[in-house]
Amino acid sequence: MDKKLKIYSGLLVFMVLGIFYVESVKPKEINWYPSYAAKHKIPYGTYVLHKELPSLFPENEVKDIYQNPYVYLKDAKHNGTYFFVDNKVNFDKDEFNQLLNFVNRGNNVFIATNGIHIDTLKTQTRVLTTSVFEEKAYQKMSNPIFGEKEYHFDRDFSKFYFSEVDTLHTTVLGELVIRNENDSIISKKPNFIKVTHGAGSLYLHTFPQAFTNYNMLLDKNYEYVANVLSYLNSQNQKEAGVASNRSNTILWDTYYKTGKSRITSPMYYILSTPSLKWAYYIALIGVLFFIIFKGKRNQRLIPVITPLKNQTLAFTRTIANMYYEKSAHKNIAEHKINYFLEYIRNQYRLSTLEINERFYKNLTSRSGNSEEKVVALFKRIQHIQTASSITEEDLIALNTAIEDFKAYKK
């Protein structure tokens, strides 16, 4: 491992450790997502309420329902109090008719949601708006038995109230109270009602935030939740002399929950889990570093080096021209003869130390040339070797004879 690669690896490790340190020491942001799910401990979850239901209803069984009401209530044997709390609860026609049949048999349905509109019950909601610059919203029970205490929720929320109700079958149980900066009441609207239907009742509340973890742990707001839910307590009903055939079961809805568990894709699961999310990010960073540094190492520009030219042919031509221009035909012929004899030794595996009749016959049989041509060629070679000088014509005739010998093929 070279020095540069060690530096890059050290930087990568330092960055990863730095990310882990920053993530571990920085304060976690508060998640204000309106979940309303019983398993969530975030401010707008309902973990606290769900955990405290057995103490609020000591004689009732709490049962989580994971199906939609239409499917679950097809079985007429199911009885109790169906409990809905969520940011938005939208029933279709068949589903709500199933709930009405459930209520008609003497059961209860509790629905806490923002702005519920139920035409069947002649119930409509509207958002309350005022012209007051600094207003405060309070929740208050209507029945004097609970006293005049008002409960404040210090987070901003949509102030829904019931703008239209069926007065023959509806009882107002709670109110939304708006006060100005001087603590004077400027508006009071119903936000918690009871609608009788058959042998049972529907309890409708327009402030689901009251049942969240944040509100339950804020000051003494849990008292308000207990007062609201006291209307569902079967023991209280018996003490009040109200006949009821309901079973002692709280049917806690987990189907209509904004924050219910749903995995839409593997990537959603990875990014929703902090440990897997950071492992995924670190893997991406590692791949990025690998591409940058490994690619730079492998794709570095390679300088173009011009290969050396083969100068043998040029050198040969230069020497030949030099001999030719000086009329050194004898020297050229001797070089030509030496190359030819080397050719015979390599090509035909014949010794050229003795040039005799046996040599002529062997060369003739191996080369395919006629014996007369072979003998004439070597007579010419002997003449040139013994002569003190030769003419240009003699050199040309020698070259022609040698080339003619090589050109013959069996």
Side-chain angles (χ1 to χ4, degrees):
M1 184 181 293
D2 58 16
K3 183 177 180 181
K4 186 178 291 186
L5 185 57
K6 289 181 180 178
I7 294 174
Y8 291 151
S9 300
L11 289 175
L12 177 60
V13 173
F14 179 77
M15 289 179 61
V16 172
L17 293 177
I19 292 173
F20 274 113
Y21 175 75
V22 171
E23 288 297 317
S24 61
V25 299
K26 77 174 184 179
K28 293 185 178 180
E29 296 182 0
I30 298 176
N31 184 3
W32 291 100
Y33 178 70
S35 165
Y36 294 95
K39 67 176 183 177
H40 288 165
K41 298 180 181 180
I42 58 178
Y44 283 167
T46 54
Y47 175 83
V48 175
L49 176 61
H50 188 268
K51 185 178 180 181
E52 294 300 324
L53 279 179
S55 61
L56 292 172
F57 303 95
E59 295 185 357
N60 296 50
E61 175 191 2
V62 179
K63 183 178 181 181
D64 293 338
I65 307 302
Y66 296 94
Q67 297 174 301
N68 65 65
Y70 180 79
V71 175
Y72 181 75
L73 296 179
K74 276 188 175 182
D75 187 351
K77 295 180 181 179
H78 295 310
N79 292 294
T81 299
Y82 217 134
F83 196 95
F84 297 89
V85 56
D86 193 49
N87 190 41
K88 292 290 183 183
V89 179
N90 296 312
F91 302 110
D92 60 33
K93 183 178 179 180
D94 294 334
E95 196 170 36
F96 190 69
N97 287 336
Q98 196 75 276
L99 282 172
L100 289 180
N101 292 334
F102 176 73
V103 174
N104 191 57
R105 299 199 305 266
N107 298 292
N108 286 336
V109 170
F110 180 88
I111 303 173
T113 185
N114 289 315
I116 186 169
H117 297 269
I118 303 176
D119 294 333
T120 307
L121 303 178
K122 299 179 182 180
T123 301
Q124 297 292 327
T125 59
R126 187 178 298 173
V127 177
L128 177 62
T129 57
T130 67
S131 58
V132 178
F133 180 71
E134 292 185 5
E135 65 177 24
K136 283 190 174 182
Y138 295 86
Q139 314 296 322
K140 179 178 178 294
M141 301 298 293
S142 299
N143 195 326
I145 195 174
F146 297 108
E148 296 297 322
K149 188 171 181 179
E150 298 175 353
Y151 299 88
H152 176 57
F153 184 74
D154 60 4
R155 299 286 300 181
D156 188 33
F157 64 96
S158 298
K159 301 170 181 64
F160 283 96
Y161 69 96
F162 291 100
S163 59
E164 181 180 334
V165 296
D166 182 1
T167 55
L168 293 178
H169 303 93
T170 302
T171 303
V172 175
L173 303 179
E175 298 171 320
L176 172 64
V177 180
I178 306 297
R179 294 180 179 272
N180 59 17
E181 60 272 16
N182 298 322
D183 208 31
S184 300
I185 297 177
I186 59 174
S187 183
K188 184 185 292 186
K189 299 291 184 181
N191 72 338
F192 179 34
I193 61 174
K194 171 185 177 182
V195 182
T196 58
H197 182 79
S201 302
L202 289 96
Y203 295 87
L204 308 179
H205 203 296
T206 62
F207 183 54
Q209 292 88 342
F211 306 94
T212 61
N213 300 328
Y214 181 79
N215 186 72
M216 291 281 289
L217 301 176
L218 179 65
D219 298 330
K220 292 187 177 182
N221 285 5
Y222 63 88
E223 294 178 354
Y224 174 76
V225 176
N227 294 339
V228 169
L229 299 184
S230 65
Y231 284 98
L232 307 178
N233 197 312
S234 59
Q235 182 63 28
N236 291 347
Q237 294 286 343
K238 293 177 181 178
E239 292 176 357
V242 178
S244 174
N245 62 355
R246 296 189 304 271
S247 67
N248 298 333
T249 304
I250 301 296
L251 305 175
W252 176 275
D253 169 69
T254 61
Y255 182 82
Y256 279 106
K257 288 289 184 291
T258 304
K260 71 178 181 179
S261 299
R262 52 171 70 88
I263 299 176
T264 57
S265 67
M267 186 57 65
Y268 174 85
Y269 178 75
I270 291 174
L271 296 180
S272 62
T273 306
S275 56
L276 292 179
K277 179 180 71 174
W278 280 109
Y280 175 72
Y281 287 158
I282 291 172
L284 288 182
I285 294 173
V287 171
L288 180 62
F289 269 83
F290 177 81
I291 292 174
I292 293 174
F293 298 121
K294 187 68 176 178
K296 183 178 179 181
R297 185 181 182 88
N298 288 348
Q299 298 178 11
R300 186 177 300 165
L301 293 177
I302 300 174
V304 178
I305 300 175
T306 305
L308 296 176
K309 294 182 179 179
N310 188 352
Q311 302 292 341
T312 303
L313 183 60
F315 175 76
T316 304
R317 287 176 178 173
T318 300
I319 298 299
N321 289 334
M322 182 179 67
Y323 278 112
Y324 189 76
E325 289 174 359
K326 292 183 177 181
S327 298
H329 305 311
K330 170 74 171 176
N331 290 334
I332 297 174
E334 288 179 349
H335 285 298
K336 188 74 175 176
I337 292 170
N338 290 333
Y339 292 146
F340 177 62
L341 294 177
E342 181 68 21
Y343 170 77
I344 291 174
R345 289 192 292 270
N346 292 331
Q347 184 70 20
Y348 302 115
R349 298 291 188 268
L350 292 174
S351 174
T352 57
L353 293 177
E354 295 183 6
I355 308 299
N356 49 31
E357 292 297 328
R358 184 179 179 183
F359 172 80
Y360 294 149
K361 291 184 181 296
N362 290 336
L363 182 59
T364 298
S365 62
R366 296 189 184 188
S367 67
N369 289 278
S370 64
E371 186 174 349
E372 292 77 8
K373 184 187 291 187
V374 171
V375 173
L377 173 58
F378 276 89
K379 291 294 182 183
R380 187 181 297 279
I381 291 173
Q382 290 175 1
H383 170 71
I384 292 174
Q385 288 176 333
T386 58
S388 58
S389 63
I390 62 173
T391 63
E392 180 179 345
E393 288 76 12
D394 293 335
L395 177 61
I396 294 174
L398 174 64
N399 183 71
T400 302
I402 291 175
E403 294 300 324
D404 183 56
F405 176 85
K406 291 181 179 178
Y408 184 82
K409 295 183 182 297
K410 290 184 179 181

